[in-house]
Amino acid sequence: MCGIAGIFHCGTPKPVDPARVERMCDALVHRGPDGGGVWTAPGVGLGHRRLSIIDIAGSPQPMQSADGRAMIVFNGEIYNFRELRRELELGGAQFRTDGDTEVILAAYRKWGVDCLSRLNGMFAFALYDLDRHTLFLARDRFGVKPLFTAMLSDGSLAFASELKGLLAHPLLRRKVDPLAIEDYLAWGYVPDHRSILDGVEKLPAGHFRLLRHDSVAAAPVRWWDISFAERARGKPADLEAELLFHLREAVSSRMVADVPLGAFLSGGVDSSSVVALMAEASSSPVQTCSIGFDVAALDETSYAREVARKFGTDHRERIVDPNDFAEIGRLADMFDEPFADASALPTWRVCQLARESVTVALSGDGADEAFAGYRRQVFHAAEERARSVMPASLRAPLFGALGRMWPKADWAPRPLRAKTTFQSLAESGEEGYARALSIMAPELRGTLYSPEFRKILGDYRAEQPLLAMMRGAPARSGLDRAQYADLKFWLPGDILTKVDRTSMAVSLEAREPLLDHRLVEFAARLPHHLRIRRGQGKWLLKHAMERYLPNDVLYRPKQGFVTPVSQWLRGPLATEARAIGSRTTIAGTGWFDGERIGKLADDHIAGRSDHGRLLWQLLMLDKTLGKLGVCC
């Protein structure tokens, strides 16, 4: 795992100052503490920071191809590099190293941009073709590895693994994109179609860009997409066997490393499944780690301990204080953009624990998106059945009226939140799922903005890009479209961003075997009844893992990392909560109604209502803007 950065001149190939690229890389040293390098040529500069995982001594970067005609900087891992290497050697390719970086170079020399479809891995890379004078930027299928870009005033395009790499370039303008504020309040993160800074872009997952010196910067080109348009045929037992084959292949391929390797173990279905299959494939005990809380309702370590005992893992756990609020400033440093998923704190803590003994850790991320494991997906499938029997002309007025009159009960479990259900049923399936996925409804967002900021936003609403994505999805049903949205919108923007930044902050490589594209493509073809059955998501995955895992792990209610932000904002962070509307960076922007925010804070602190998530969002936005030193 590594950090990459660079500069490319679109137009006149001006000289690139190596010191400038080096400063961009220095901002990414946490991603690659084991070494670094910079290479420049007329109009281009490539920089790299390395975390050594495979071929520790033999694959320094930037790396030149064996024929001297291409140069690459690469962040990630190619899990099938040995198979590709053998194929390329049969075609005459020669290799000087034992790693995966040189395999990408050779694959590009043979197949050009079509090499991407042959790569099974997580990656973001920049490859310069010295013959064609082109820069090839690419990102993996699901966006596991990030890549930020920005056009600068001197006609160059700068790129980096994290925004902080671009911030090290003196020509980057630090001006906030107001639409990103609307996006952030809706989702709790800035999605991949936007950046917090105007003029900064993220290369979308499954896309590449091919840039030339003699033309304007080309737009991203999609090279992969997930399709839900087909359905697998066969007996459930046969599909279960095929699923197990894909699972074993995905896990074993991600166990290749020349450094200590382990796994996160929460005690839930997904991480436990990964550990079970690692134990099956390993001749030595798997190293696992878990964190717990000293609050019983938040703690899952007993389940993790049960799985660790069952598979004889070398297990380590640590109990952390749920009142970890003192570290919120560190989160703003890690993420650069505002990020309100409070589970980032415990995720960072488990990464710290893992890094004490391993350099690579396998996670269980991706299964909920691929196999319909989220409660919101299960509810959405049920709501879609209701929509199918009642036309919109009846649903909209009936459920719209019920939604307006019904009392709000955010404290209740989702099945008891009738107001939310009624609001969703009054809308189309796509609109209903956008409401389920968002963490702040448009009606509430609108009350927070100042009149001036509402004018700036105009007709834009954060839900619009998601609705367009769902309506254009290669899908056959509402559940398909919901899962497509989770894989293409939620996963890269929230889950993968969280894991990448928190793991890289401690120089740990996190790998996601359940996001092997062959496994996810298989899952996307499963019939509905093998995804959701009797109100249970991930049905086929759980059924397949019954031979490995006990029922109390497989079928207990889903529980993620929980952080008590509401309690913090009534206790040790109450002073900061009160200040949000009047004495903070965001208060000075003029974007928000300070009196309205102050009233929400007072009501929360007094216990009259729970606005913890909203206040946490605003607090993280304030911390981030302060760190960035931006103008509005």
Side-chain angles (χ1 to χ4, degrees):
M1 198 57 55
C2 307
I4 64 174
I7 299 169
F8 181 82
H9 282 277
C10 303
T12 305
K14 302 174 185 177
V16 172
D17 182 0
R20 184 165 284 180
V21 180
E22 188 170 359
R23 284 194 295 273
M24 296 170 68
C25 289
D26 287 345
L28 306 172
V29 68
H30 54 285
R31 296 186 74 92
D34 297 332
V38 171
W39 172 87
T40 62
V44 62
L46 305 179
H48 188 260
R49 291 297 319 182
R50 188 180 187 205
L51 178 63
S52 301
I53 303 293
I54 293 174
D55 191 21
I56 293 173
S59 293
Q61 295 185 46
M63 180 181 288
Q64 195 164 27
S65 62
D67 60 11
R69 297 163 68 182
M71 186 73 70
I72 192 173
V73 287
F74 159 53
N75 168 29
E77 301 290 347
I78 306 302
Y79 304 120
N80 65 332
F81 79 96
R82 287 177 174 151
E83 297 92 323
L84 282 175
R85 178 180 175 133
R86 286 193 290 271
E87 181 180 356
L88 290 162
E89 284 176 330
L90 290 173
Q94 296 182 338
F95 293 88
R96 301 157 296 167
T97 69
D98 294 323
D100 52 356
T101 307
E102 193 176 13
V103 171
I104 299 176
L105 282 165
Y108 170 78
R109 296 300 300 159
K110 183 173 180 63
W111 298 302
V113 298
D114 291 337
C115 70
L116 292 171
S117 63
R118 297 173 177 266
L119 304 179
N120 178 10
M122 55 179 185
F123 54 84
F125 65 75
L127 188 154
Y128 185 69
D129 188 318
L130 281 81
D131 289 341
R132 296 180 175 87
H133 305 294
T134 57
L135 182 70
F136 177 29
L137 300 175
R139 193 174 178 203
D140 65 67
R141 293 169 177 83
F142 294 104
V144 179
K145 293 294 103 187
L147 192 62
F148 289 76
T149 66
M151 289 299 304
L152 304 176
S153 59
D154 64 352
S156 66
L157 179 137
F159 63 87
S161 294
E162 296 180 25
L163 181 56
K164 56 176 57 71
L166 296 183
L167 291 168
H169 196 297
L171 296 184
L172 186 75
R173 293 176 66 236
R174 301 191 181 202
K175 185 177 187 301
V176 171
D177 181 348
L179 301 189
I181 303 301
E182 160 75 357
D183 286 339
Y184 167 70
L185 289 187
W187 313 116
Y189 56 90
V190 180
D192 270 12
H193 62 260
R194 189 101 50 218
S195 166
I196 189 62
L197 295 184
D198 189 27
V200 173
E201 298 179 338
K202 301 161 190 170
L203 183 63
H207 282 67
F208 71 83
R209 293 183 77 173
L210 204 57
L211 307 173
R212 301 177 57 89
H213 291 303
D214 58 359
S215 62
V216 298
V221 176
R222 177 184 288 172
W223 66 269
W224 182 85
D225 198 9
I226 182 70
S227 175
F228 286 81
E230 304 297 329
R231 290 289 183 264
R233 299 181 184 276
K235 298 177 181 178
D238 294 334
L239 292 174
E240 182 177 314
E242 187 177 352
L243 169 58
L244 282 169
F245 169 80
H246 286 303
L247 286 169
R248 291 182 177 118
E249 285 285 301
V251 170
S252 62
S253 67
R254 283 155 178 79
M255 294 176 66
V256 176
D258 296 332
V259 294
L261 176 142
F264 303 131
L265 179 57
S266 70
V269 175
D270 307 332
S271 65
S272 299
S273 297
V274 170
V275 168
L277 296 171
M278 289 177 73
E280 182 180 73
S282 178
S283 59
S284 57
V286 176
Q287 295 193 60
T288 57
C289 65
S290 304
I291 63 165
F293 300 98
D294 57 6
V295 177
L298 307 181
D299 190 62
E300 293 185 283
T301 51
S302 62
Y303 297 102
R305 225 173 286 136
E306 179 182 1
V307 174
R309 282 195 299 267
K310 182 174 179 63
F311 296 103
T313 74
D314 182 2
H315 187 63
R316 301 168 68 243
E317 66 180 45
R318 181 171 296 158
I319 302 299
V320 299
D321 184 351
N323 292 317
D324 216 0
F325 56 85
E327 299 293 350
I328 58 177
R330 287 289 304 273
L331 288 183
D333 284 333
M334 282 180 216
F335 287 92
D336 297 325
E337 297 188 293
F339 191 81
D341 185 339
S343 68
L345 273 169
T347 303
W348 175 44
R349 290 304 191 197
V350 78
C351 289
Q352 287 178 312
L353 176 60
R355 189 62 178 92
E356 292 176 5
S357 56
V358 301
T359 311
V360 177
L362 273 61
S363 81
D365 294 309
D368 287 318
E369 291 82 1
F371 290 92
Y374 288 122
R375 285 188 290 266
R376 63 175 179 259
Q377 296 165 336
V378 176
F379 293 139
H380 182 69
E383 289 171 0
E384 285 288 80
R385 289 194 293 273
R387 290 186 183 95
S388 70
V389 298
M390 184 179 291
S393 59
L394 293 179
R395 277 190 295 105
L398 172 61
F399 291 114
L402 287 170
R404 287 188 294 272
M405 64 178 285
W406 208 267
K408 191 172 173 59
D410 288 342
W411 50 267
R414 172 67 189 268
L416 302 180
R417 283 186 248 159
K419 185 180 186 71
T420 301
T421 301
F422 291 150
Q423 288 174 326
S424 179
L425 286 172
E427 300 169 322
S428 69
E430 295 82 12
E431 291 167 332
Y433 198 69
R435 185 176 291 275
L437 194 59
S438 69
I439 62 175
M440 193 185 299
E443 299 86 1
L444 177 55
R445 298 197 306 270
T447 69
L448 299 181
Y449 297 142
S450 67
E452 293 76 18
F453 193 69
R454 284 197 289 269
K455 289 179 183 176
I456 292 172
L457 290 179
D459 294 332
Y460 179 73
R461 295 295 177 269
E463 291 80 7
Q464 291 164 359
L466 179 66
L467 297 178
M469 174 185 286
M470 292 182 71
R471 287 165 180 158
R476 294 173 55 172
S477 70
L479 177 61
D480 291 345
R481 283 184 281 276
Q483 288 187 250
Y484 184 86
D486 280 320
L487 285 164
K488 302 285 286 189
F489 194 93
W490 160 264
L491 182 73
D494 187 294
I495 303 300
L496 296 179
T497 294
K498 175 180 66 179
V499 175
D500 176 80
R501 303 304 191 276
T502 54
S503 61
M504 285 284 89
V506 297
S507 305
L508 175 76
E509 176 174 297
R511 297 178 178 176
E512 290 82 9
L514 302 183
L515 282 177
D516 185 292
H517 70 278
R518 298 163 301 182
L519 174 63
V520 177
E521 287 168 347
F522 166 80
R525 295 192 299 271
L526 287 175
H528 281 201
H529 70 279
L530 296 184
R531 291 182 246 167
I532 297 174
R533 185 177 294 189
R534 294 188 293 274
Q536 186 78 237
K538 290 190 293 198
W539 185 84
L540 187 65
L541 175 63
K542 292 175 181 178
H543 193 265
M545 294 307 297
E546 283 181 353
R547 69 192 69 191
Y548 292 98
L549 299 171
N551 282 354
D552 62 341
V553 169
L554 287 171
Y555 295 108
R556 67 185 175 90
K558 183 177 176 60
Q559 181 178 346
F561 280 145
V562 179
T563 306
V565 294
S566 289
Q567 293 93 309
W568 292 351
L569 290 159
R570 288 193 179 105
L573 294 180
T575 300
E576 292 202 52
R578 285 194 177 96
I580 290 172
S582 58
R583 303 190 305 277
T584 59
T585 300
I586 63 171
T589 63
W591 298 334
F592 296 101
D593 182 336
E595 290 187 10
R596 166 74 170 151
I597 293 173
K599 176 68 165 57
L600 293 172
D602 288 340
D603 287 347
H604 178 81
I605 294 165
R608 289 187 291 268
S609 54
D610 187 349
H611 299 301
R613 178 178 275 186
L614 181 157
L615 294 170
W616 177 257
Q617 273 189 273
L618 293 173
L619 182 59
M620 291 308 301
L621 175 61
D622 183 70
K623 297 286 185 185
T624 302
L625 295 181
K627 295 282 184 182
L628 290 174
V630 296
C631 59
C632 306

